[in-house]
Amino acid sequence: MAKIPAKVCARIAQQVKRFQQTVTDAARRDINEADTARMVAEMIGEIMGYDKLQEITGEHAIRGSHVDLAVKVKNDIRFFIEVKAVNAELRENHVTQVVNYSANQGVDWALLTNGVRWQAYKITFGKPVDRILVMDIDLTSANPKSDEVLDFFGNLSREVFTPSSMTEMFRAKQAMSKFSIAALILSDPVVSIVRRELRRMADGLNPDPDEIRKLICEQVVKRELIEGDEALAAAKAVKKALKKSLREKSDPTPTAPPAMSTDGTT
């Protein structure tokens, strides 16, 4: 993943600590959605380093509707933000709303927040368009210097964000997700290793790979990790990575022959 500069980390930690009190006070006063959106815009500017006048746009128009906030640098929209009132629960229909906005504009990233909880989604432009929750933090309870806070605001910051850096971050997060680990456990190479070790444990034991996989599915791995959209996406990514690894092993890059000296010796 992209390295977040020390000065950016320092700014994030300082501003997150400051805004933790602001958000707590806002929740106590139960501010409405419009006031929460103004607070969130201020946070994006101060924490992530965007120009609040030039790069953070309110009520960005999309096909007759409006997304609450858009972060735009020069001519490129980096991400949309859907904002709900500070004490409102973030719901599935809110996610769908900001995903639809992003899909209509071809924007890869979307945020959903009420100022307290912040969620970052990667939009996947398949059929149908879908999304994957990549980062999710509670601002009021998080340590301002924690990795999760620095990852969230650092990767989305003005200084660090690029399409390639976000893709790299997404792949790293996806690889280390619980869904990917579950998919790896169920993959052929890992099941083969488990089968080999089981055979060593008991003479005469020769379990079928499908039997082992069924046992893992039913009694070892939580069902939520192998079912649903995120699990399917992780399984697909693992399968693709394993195929690539097998291709590289079966078709190694040929090595160049040793150089010849002028007298014909090697």
Side-chain angles (χ1 to χ4, degrees), residues 2-3 5 29 35 47 56 59 62 76-77 89 102 111 125 133 143 145 166 173 176 199 201 213 225 235 238:
K3 182 174 176 59
R29 293 185 288 112
D35 289 339
I47 298 174
I56 304 173
E59 294 296 314
I62 301 176
D76 297 324
I77 297 174
E89 181 182 351
S102 301
L111 272 58
F125 294 93
L133 177 62
N143 182 332
K145 296 182 180 180
M166 292 300 288
K173 293 282 187 185
M176 288 298 292
R199 293 170 68 182
M201 290 173 62
R213 189 174 285 106
L225 301 182
V238 167

Side-chain angles (χ1 to χ4, degrees), residues 12-13 15-24 39-40 43 47 113-119 136-144 146 148-149 152-153:
I12 291 170
Q15 294 299 327
V16 165
K17 184 177 181 180
R18 169 194 163 203
F19 276 105
Q20 283 178 325
Q21 186 60 53
T22 301
V23 171
T24 300
M39 179 181 70
V40 167
M43 295 168 76
I47 298 174
T113 184
N114 57 9
V116 176
R117 189 174 179 187
W118 292 70
Q119 297 177 334
D136 185 357
I137 63 171
D138 185 316
L139 191 76
T140 56
S141 63
N143 182 332
S146 66
E148 66 171 352
V149 168
F152 191 104
F153 294 108

Side-chain angles (χ1 to χ4, degrees), residues 43-67:
M43 295 168 76
I44 291 169
E46 297 297 328
I47 298 174
M48 299 187 197
Y50 291 98
D51 187 298
K52 286 173 280 187
L53 295 178
Q54 301 295 325
E55 298 173 339
I56 304 173
T57 304
E59 294 296 314
H60 181 83
I62 301 176
R63 292 189 178 183
S65 187
H66 296 83
V67 65

Side-chain angles (χ1 to χ4, degrees), residues 34-234:
D35 289 339
T36 303
R38 283 190 285 271
M39 179 181 70
V40 167
E42 181 78 10
M43 295 168 76
I44 291 169
E46 297 297 328
I47 298 174
M48 299 187 197
Y50 291 98
D51 187 298
K52 286 173 280 187
L53 295 178
Q54 301 295 325
E55 298 173 339
I56 304 173
T57 304
E59 294 296 314
H60 181 83
I62 301 176
R63 292 189 178 183
S65 187
H66 296 83
V67 65
D68 293 323
L69 296 169
V71 172
K72 184 177 182 180
V73 177
K74 297 181 180 178
N75 294 321
D76 297 324
I77 297 174
R78 291 191 170 183
F79 49 88
F80 288 135
I81 309 101
E82 183 68 18
V83 182
K84 298 304 170 186
V86 68
N87 287 323
E89 181 182 351
L90 302 184
R91 300 181 182 276
E92 179 65 23
N93 61 308
H94 302 152
V95 179
T96 301
Q97 189 175 10
V98 72
V99 167
N100 288 340
Y101 289 145
S102 301
N104 284 332
Q105 297 287 295
V107 176
D108 288 331
W109 290 90
L111 272 58
L112 175 63
T113 184
N114 57 9
V116 176
R117 189 174 179 187
W118 292 70
Q119 297 177 334
Y121 290 89
K122 173 70 172 67
I123 313 303
T124 58
F125 294 93
K127 293 183 179 180
V129 171
D130 205 350
R131 86 287 184 201
I132 297 173
L133 177 62
V134 181
M135 297 184 286
D136 185 357
I137 63 171
D138 185 316
L139 191 76
T140 56
S141 63
N143 182 332
K145 296 182 180 180
S146 66
D147 289 342
E148 66 171 352
V149 168
L150 297 178
D151 279 351
F152 191 104
F153 294 108
N155 281 295
L156 291 165
S157 69
R158 193 189 193 286
E159 297 90 338
V160 177
F161 186 107
T162 65
S164 60
S165 73
M166 292 300 288
T167 297
E168 183 181 353
M169 181 274 292
F170 168 65
R171 288 174 178 170
K173 293 282 187 185
Q174 191 177 42
M176 288 298 292
S177 75
K178 58 187 178 181
F179 300 102
S180 292
I181 301 300
L184 278 171
I185 291 172
L186 291 167
S187 67
D188 289 342
V190 175
V191 169
S192 295
I193 293 172
V194 173
R195 181 170 180 260
R196 183 191 68 200
E197 296 305 316
L198 288 172
R199 293 170 68 182
R200 288 179 178 177
M201 290 173 62
D203 292 338
L205 180 63
N206 189 24
D208 184 82
D210 288 338
E211 182 183 358
I212 296 171
R213 189 174 285 106
K214 181 180 179 181
L215 183 63
I216 293 172
C217 285
E218 294 180 352
Q219 300 187 39
V220 178
V221 176
K222 292 181 179 179
R223 186 163 295 277
E224 66 188 60
L225 301 182
I226 57 177
E227 295 180 352
D229 294 338
E230 289 181 279
L232 291 174

